[in-house]
Amino acid sequence: MSATTDTIEEAVKALRAGEDEWSRTPLSGRRALLDQIHALTEANAEEWVRIAAGIKGLPADSPLLGEEWMSGPYPLLTATSALAGSLAALEAGRSPVDGFTIAAAPENRSAVKVLPHGIFDWLLLNGFTAEVWTKPGVDASTVRAKAGLAQRNPEQTNGVGVVLGAGNIFSIAPLDVLYQLFAYNRVAVLKVNPVTDPLLPVLEKIFAPAIERGFVRILTGGSEVGKELVDHPDIAAVHMTGSSITHDAIVFGTGAEGVQRKAAGTPLIDKPITSELGGISPTIVVPGKWSKADLKFQAAHLATQRLHNNGYNCVASQVAVISSDWAQKAEFLAAVREAFQQAPVRTDYYPGSAARVSAARTAYPDAEAVGSGGERTLIFGLQADEAEEALNVEYFAPVFGVIELPGAGADFLRQAVRAANEKFEGTLGANIIAHPATIKSLGAEFDSAVTGLRYGTIGINAWTAVGYLTALASWGAFPGHTLDNVQSGIGVVHNALLIDDPERTIVRGPFRPSPRSLVNGELTLAPVPPWFVTNRTGVTTGRRLTYFAASPSWAKIPGIFASALRG
């Protein structure tokens, strides 16, 4: 056997032995493990962000380092705390959702209100809310009875799972490992993406207690290592993050034979595979009467949805849907150009980015290059048609397009929802931006539009990435995809309340930042969010939020507020 095979065999052997100990580890011991991982995440947060900056080519003084705090150690800290809370509830004979409001949602669904939960959420994320919706026909009592998933019977373990890690957002892989351990009750081997190899020492430190007991193993290597793991007879299940192309290569193989297998519905693997894949992630901009400040802020919002992490996000918005009849259309598009032009310059660290930008510009020769880096690309005049490349190809790069549909009000919104459901590839996330007065005037029509969107996370005046950052929310594609038409994937992750088979997460945020929100009648204190690419204090705010998540304290609140308000 090769050295790589030896390493894989050693890892799987250790995990098979570790599974036995995992089955004998009570809920109290599992909570203790989460507490250890939590403490080690805090202890290694600075090193994590420093290495992440090196991978992404960010200088030590870059304002964009706030992204690495907020999408790196911060969500791992909140997830470990939230999961520990769910285990504590089960240990006490309660449901993890006890203490959370469960309300009726449209079309016989139930909605678990997960944000805000507690006074600190209310203060730090004032104006933001999140709900996890069930599928139709699930009532509150069923939600309570089934929450907890495999941790309701912790002694019944489910083998060894493999996680094929992402290379773009550095908390994805560790969060996916936690989901294998706690949602599925599987020990897990993580094969990190080669982009993230420099983070291996940090991940090994953070997961050291789980590694020592045989609950987790972490391996490096290319696609050949991933394939050997997936094919290993002692691997019970697979989870991956990436593109639908990578998914199909794993499930059906590559080349003509892979195409034939997919068409015939004969996958290469015979074990369960869950996935979180990308998509086009549209943003529907509902026409209304906006102030100049509103236009500028929401243009920056769009730029953030695309340019955060330079566009290398599975849920990066790739296309805006706007009304061709909107009186402020030209003014808004000018603000969008300016926002893309002025956003901080960054390197194209993710493999293949330049080639994907070039391909987009070849497909759209009239596309506009904006910004001093030369990569940012705006495409106007897209059509809501299945043949439109920008609606079917996830560029995973700083490329952003605009579709114009006629109409206003409910008529425009119905058309936009229909296009988002029927013409766009992927179902991971969709965003709606609408003035509060417009939402109020649309009433039931707006609610119907939200219900009608078939996406796993829907953001209303909030980027869907807020759902990713909310540990108690579910994260994944809209349910119903199959191996041969996987779209944005199968299954969910995060979901720290361990809700059984959720359908979607609905996130809402303020249309304006404070203090303009208060002046205009929105009762929210939220300033410009720290994840905005235009935020001037994102590094300080992100760092302070991270250490607050590590050990919440009233004494830390003033410093967070002071930094956030300067952003």
Side-chain angles (χ1 to χ4, degrees):
M1 291 189 294
S2 69
T4 297
T5 301
D6 283 342
T7 302
I8 290 173
E9 289 297 334
E10 291 169 4
V12 174
K13 182 180 179 181
L15 288 164
R16 288 179 63 191
E19 183 189 2
D20 183 60
E21 183 175 352
W22 186 240
S23 72
R24 291 183 281 105
T25 303
L27 292 174
S28 59
R30 297 176 181 214
R31 281 196 297 111
L33 178 67
L34 285 166
D35 291 344
Q36 289 177 299
I37 293 171
H38 185 89
L40 288 166
T41 302
E42 178 185 15
N44 291 281
E46 293 279 358
E47 184 181 3
W48 179 332
V49 173
R50 178 182 58 78
I51 294 173
I55 294 171
K56 298 186 178 183
L58 296 174
D61 61 349
S62 172
L64 296 170
L65 280 179
E67 294 181 2
E68 300 312 312
W69 284 103
M70 292 293 295
S71 66
Y74 173 81
L76 187 55
L77 288 163
T78 57
T80 48
S81 291
L83 281 168
S86 291
L87 295 192
L90 290 168
E91 193 178 356
R94 297 182 285 106
S95 170
V97 299
D98 285 353
F100 291 81
T101 300
I102 305 177
E107 299 179 5
N108 201 26
R109 294 174 171 89
S110 295
V112 184
K113 298 184 178 182
V114 299
L115 182 73
H117 183 65
I119 185 63
F120 287 142
D121 276 356
W122 187 87
L123 286 170
L124 295 175
L125 291 166
N126 191 269
F128 288 89
T129 66
E131 298 177 342
V132 177
W133 286 13
T134 68
K135 294 177 180 178
V138 179
D139 60 18
S141 62
T142 302
V143 174
R144 291 190 181 93
K146 291 189 174 182
L149 297 179
Q151 295 306 302
R152 300 184 71 83
N153 299 287
E155 71 283 354
Q156 297 177 11
T157 54
N158 293 296
V160 181
V162 60
V163 172
L164 303 178
N168 57 334
I169 294 296
F170 297 157
S171 59
I172 293 176
L175 290 172
D176 291 348
V177 168
L178 290 183
Y179 208 66
Q180 290 294 308
L181 283 168
F182 292 96
Y184 294 110
N185 214 20
R186 293 188 192 110
V187 294
V189 54
L190 166 63
K191 204 288 287 184
V192 298
N193 187 294
V195 171
T196 66
D197 280 355
L199 273 172
L200 178 64
V202 170
L203 294 177
E204 288 180 328
K205 291 175 186 175
I206 288 171
F207 280 96
I211 293 170
E212 290 166 4
R213 299 174 67 183
F215 304 155
V216 171
R217 282 293 184 272
I218 306 176
L219 301 179
T220 59
S223 58
E224 72 287 350
V225 176
K227 177 171 173 45
E228 195 165 340
L229 281 166
V230 169
D231 293 340
H232 197 286
D234 289 333
I235 293 294
V238 178
H239 179 79
M240 65 155 292
T241 302
S243 69
S244 59
I245 295 171
T246 303
H247 172 275
D248 287 353
I250 292 169
V251 175
F252 297 106
T254 57
E257 291 184 358
V259 173
Q260 291 171 1
R261 288 191 196 94
K262 184 176 178 180
T266 54
L268 288 169
I269 62 175
D270 60 354
K271 55 194 71 174
I273 178 167
T274 53
S275 49
E276 188 260 84
L277 312 176
I280 306 306
S281 297
T283 297
I284 298 169
V285 182
V286 185
K289 189 175 182 181
W290 297 7
S291 69
K292 288 186 180 297
D294 294 338
L295 292 165
K296 183 177 181 179
F297 177 74
Q298 293 300 345
H301 197 177
L302 274 186
T304 294
Q305 291 177 14
R306 190 59 196 172
L307 297 181
H308 182 282
N309 200 33
N310 209 37
Y312 312 135
N313 289 332
C314 291
V315 77
S317 177
Q318 185 163 298
V319 174
V321 183
I322 71 171
S323 169
S324 58
D325 298 321
W326 186 20
Q328 294 178 289
K329 178 190 74 174
E331 193 177 358
F332 180 64
L333 292 181
V336 169
R337 281 189 182 92
E338 184 177 2
F340 272 76
Q341 179 82 29
Q342 294 184 353
V345 176
R346 61 188 308 159
T347 60
D348 56 341
Y349 77 90
Y350 204 83
S353 177
R356 291 189 294 274
V357 171
S358 178
R361 290 182 180 176
T362 298
Y364 298 99
D366 294 332
E368 300 179 17
V370 295
S372 57
E375 261 206 321
R376 292 175 195 162
T377 302
L378 293 174
I379 307 169
F380 298 96
L382 296 176
Q383 301 299 311
D385 190 287
E386 291 96 336
E388 192 73 79
E389 180 182 285
L391 275 60
N392 291 278
V393 176
E394 183 190 10
Y395 290 126
F396 215 64
V399 177
F400 189 75
V402 176
I403 284 178
E404 296 183 21
L405 297 176
D411 178 56
F412 167 79
L413 195 51
R414 281 191 294 268
Q415 290 187 73
V417 168
R418 190 180 308 117
N421 285 339
E422 299 175 3
K423 310 298 184 183
F424 287 66
E425 183 75 13
T427 65
L428 185 60
N431 310 277
I432 303 175
I433 295 174
H435 193 288
T438 302
I439 294 174
K440 183 177 180 180
S441 67
L442 288 169
E445 289 279 5
F446 186 84
D447 295 338
S448 178
V450 173
T451 305
L453 277 168
R454 297 193 294 269
Y455 284 81
T457 299
I458 298 168
I460 302 166
N461 290 333
W463 183 24
T464 47
V466 177
Y468 176 93
L469 293 176
T470 304
L472 297 170
S474 64
W475 182 256
F478 196 78
H481 301 316
T482 57
L483 287 180
D484 59 353
N485 183 25
V486 74
Q487 294 283 320
S488 288
I490 297 170
V492 300
V493 289
H494 303 186
N495 185 30
L497 290 176
L498 302 175
I499 295 168
D500 183 52
D501 206 16
E503 182 186 64
R504 69 179 91 180
T505 289
I506 307 291
V507 176
R508 298 174 188 266
F511 180 72
R512 309 174 180 91
S514 179
R516 282 200 307 112
S517 55
L518 298 170
V519 173
N520 287 275
E522 283 186 275
L523 300 180
T524 169
L525 303 175
V528 174
W531 52 84
F532 264 43
V533 294
T534 55
N535 193 296
R536 296 169 295 180
T537 61
V539 179
T540 302
T541 305
R543 187 178 187 278
R544 289 178 179 176
L545 282 169
T546 298
Y547 285 112
F548 178 87
S551 51
S553 164
W554 283 103
K556 297 176 182 178
I557 296 288
I560 295 172
F561 277 179
S563 176
L565 290 169
R566 293 195 304 270

